[in-house]
Structures are given as C-alpha cells and as structure tokens.
Amino acid sequence: MPPSRPTRDPATPLREAILQEARTLLESGGYAALSTRRIASAVGCTATSLYLHFKSKDSLIYALIDEGFEELNRRVLDVSRGEGDALHLLRDVAGAYVAFGLERPEYYEIMFMLRAEQMERYPVDAYRRARRSLEVFAELTALPAEEAARRGAIVWSTLHGLVSLLIAQRIDISLDRSALIQDLIHSAGLGAFAALPSGANRT
Amino acid sequence: MPPSRPTRDPATPLREAILQEARTLLESGGYAALSTRRIASAVGCTATSLYLHFKSKDSLIYALIDEGFEELNRRVLDVSRGEGDALHLLRDVAGAYVAFGLERPEYYEIMFMLRAEQMERYPVDAYRRARRSLEVFAELTALPAEEAARRGAIVWSTLHGLVSLLIAQRIDISLDRSALIQDLIHSAGLGAFAALPSGANRT
DNA sequence: GCCTTACAGTTTACGCTGTCAACCTGGAAT
DNA sequence: ATTCCAGGTTGACAGCGTAAACTGTAAGGC
C-alpha cells in the first residue's frame, strides 16, 4: 500500500511548500505581504506549523534573502568574468547590480532595505558570504586592499542609493530613468577610479 | 475657583504631549518603537485619544517627518549660503546632509527609509515642499534645468546610499568611516560637475 | 437657572500580528 | 502489542491600529 500520505502532496513537503508560498507573497506584495498566517492558510496548514520548519518568521525570510543573494551573485559574477578593461567591466557589473534591484525590488527590499533591528539575528558570517558580489566592486579597482575596500564601498553606496530611492519611489518621476541610471553608473566608475584626495589611483 | 483642569497638565495640551512623547520614543528606539498604545500610556491617555488629534498613526509620523525636514532644510540651506565656489559649496552641503543623517538616524529613517506603501498617504506636494533642501544639489550645478535635476538626483542618490547603508549597519565596520565619507563626498562632487557622456559640464 | 450643543476623552470591540505550550495522531521500531 | 516520535493541530497570550459607542464637562442661548 502507498505510504499513507497526509492531506498535502508529499512531492512538495511542507517546508518547500511554505517557502514557495512565501516567495509568491513576497513577489506579489513585498515584505509587508508576508505573514505567517497568510502563508499558512495559502499552503493549507496552521500558522504554528511554520515553526516546525523555521525557527521564526525571520529565519524564513533569511531563506528568501539567501535566494536573493544567490541570484544577485550569479548575475554579478557572470558579468564580472566578461571581457574588457576594468572600467568597462565595472560599469557592466554596476549595470547588473542596478538591473537586479529594479527587476526584483521585493528581494532587494528584504536584502538591503530592512532596518537593522529587524535583521539582528541574521548571522554575520552568512551575511558576509552572501554579499560576495559586492566585493567585485573592490576587486576590479586593482588597488591595495584597504583602498580597494573603500572604493568598493563607495561604488556600492552610489548604486544602492539610486536603487533604493527608485524602489521607494522617491525620485522625481519626471526624470528620465534610464538616463539617470546611465549617468549614475558612469559616476560610480568615477568614484572607483578617479583621483581622490586620499591617494593611489589612476585618472 | 480654577477652571477645573483635567487630570493632565493643561500647559501641554494632549496633542503636543503626544507629539513630544512620539519624538522621545522615536529618538530612543527608532520607527519600530512607535506604537499608539505605547505613546498613549506614556502620556497618560488611551490609545484611541490619539485619533482625536491625528487622523491616523501615519499622520502623526508625518508630523515628525516634517520636523525632520525642517531641521535638514535649516542645516543645508544655512551651509548653501556660505562662501566659495560651487564645488566647495556643494561639498559643504553634502557634508551637512550626511551629518544630519548620521546625527539623527531615527529621523532619517522615517524621512527616507520607509517603504513606499507605508508612505502612500503622505501628500505629494507636502513631500516636494519638504524636500526643498534636495534641490540645492541641483541648483549648485548651475546647469540647464533638466541636466541640473539629473545631476542633483545623482548627488542625492550617492549621499543617500552611504547614509542609509551606514545607518542600517551594512558597511564593513573595519573601514575608516570618516575617510569613507570624505571620499564619497568628493565622489559626489565628481558626479555633479565632472564630464558625463550626456553633455554640458565643466571639468 | 435650565437646556442644548460641542468637545475631549474613555470603554469596548474587531481583526490582525508573531509565537509558545499543550495536545493529538498515524506510522515505524522494538 | 506497545512504545516512541515526527509532524501536525488547538488554544492561548500579548501586542498592534483603529472604528463605534458612550460619558463627562464646559460654554452659550433663553
């Protein structure tokens, strides 16, 4: 006889079903749409069942964040292995970063726009590993480690500023979006390679 | 006989007392610490009394946001009226913006870091008026309106990126914070004045 | 002096949230 | 046959924003 299935399809065990529903809700309504009870009722179980598979709601969200970083890393690292000089590569990488943010704003939101106290329990080392793609900005500068790290952070800040303001709809809509993005990516290149007061660089 | 005071000190009518307590809670615990019930119990009234003076919790927060913009505008406009060439003025203004963000992170949070759907009801024109200081970035470039607006948005994005990542504690703490800020402000100057592919500019 | 009106607050309640403790239940192992 | 346990459920708790109904008090008009 078949191994006695529960009411749910065993091909998608509960944990995966919960994750899948969380993805759907996130993509359709952003972070605000994620609630344990809503997930549970869509999946066909009770809210507390969620805690059999995830330590907390936060840790469920961390799983989604990980998925987001996986995609971001894939996109960025793909592009970073392309051809061309460092400046053009950096612009391509920057473009890939911005594209990810604008194409998957809900993922970007939980990855980079949640307030710190809501992220407290996200393991620091996991976060560092997850942010792998951000190091690419630094590496492309080919500067000494500390200088490179600073330039990388500057590039990241620059891109993050635009992406988060666009997602939050704070930028004047009368501005030509793609021109703005182009200019800013160019500007990020300047931030990475142009002469800064602090030292080593090339024009 | 005295005009029969209610249990509360009439010198600070309820609306002001609520605002004051909201300020205190915001400054001590950020947006997450703001709850109608917590405010009410600290003030000595019920949660629903709040709705006699504010349309909703959101509109109470808008009042705080307005206060934040008032301070930001004061700081930025003060500096923008200083002496020096446009580039140095822009760096001073950028410095003032960043300083505000880092010195009043809880205000910065509700002003610029809340997700869009939570801000939906903030009147668009009020928001435009509130953001007066952001136009300074554009004005200092002394470029044709459209180009200036784009450059201004780029500068703002750049600064916002750094401030929001610092506030959210996403930037590697091993980096020298003030050097980073210096570099980024320099970089924002480049974004405003350097040659971009799109046209009019000066070195 | 009495009645009306308006205001300023409270009580109560609704539906929502994340989470915990206790309970149940069906199948596998002893 | 009995025990054990993983995987679920029920019920509850404390908190949230907010709407409706109620209460007490002050001021104004007659």
Side-chain angles (χ1 to χ4, degrees), chain B residues 74-178:
Chain B
R74 184 166 40 70
R75 288 191 188 213
V76 161
L77 293 175
D78 263 17
V79 170
S80 77
R81 280 190 279 265
E83 296 178 354
D85 60 17
L87 178 57
H88 284 95
L89 268 185
L90 186 124
R91 288 186 188 159
D92 291 346
V93 166
Y97 181 94
V98 172
F100 170 80
L102 299 183
E103 285 166 27
R104 325 250 321 130
E106 305 85 9
Y107 280 91
Y108 195 91
E109 179 187 354
I110 60 173
M111 290 161 69
F112 296 117
M113 293 170 72
L114 287 193
R115 287 178 293 292
E117 80 265 11
Q118 295 182 279
M119 299 287 300
E120 228 158 15
R121 275 123 75 188
Y122 193 91
V124 178
D125 57 331
Y127 195 65
R128 194 157 303 175
R129 181 163 29 81
R131 294 185 318 174
R132 172 70 188 90
S133 58
L134 301 180
E135 296 168 11
V136 172
F137 297 136
E139 289 162 10
L140 282 171
T141 64
L143 289 168
E146 195 208 317
E147 177 75 12
R150 194 159 66 242
R151 299 297 183 101
I154 288 178
V155 172
W156 178 32
S157 296
T158 305
L159 300 176
H160 170 71
L162 182 67
V163 172
S164 63
L165 289 178
L166 283 175
I167 288 178
Q169 298 172 36
R170 291 294 210 293
I171 298 258
D172 201 330
I173 47 173
S174 71
L175 287 175
D176 179 350
R177 207 168 153 125
S178 57

Side-chain angles (χ1 to χ4, degrees), chain B residues 7 31 35 48 78 84 197:
Chain B
T7 61
Y31 174 78
S35 106
T48 50
D78 263 17

Side-chain angles (χ1 to χ4, degrees), chain A residues 179-200:
Chain A
L180 189 61
I181 294 169
Q182 274 319 107
D183 278 12
L184 188 114
I185 288 176
H186 185 97
S187 179
L190 291 177
F193 293 112
L196 292 190
S198 34

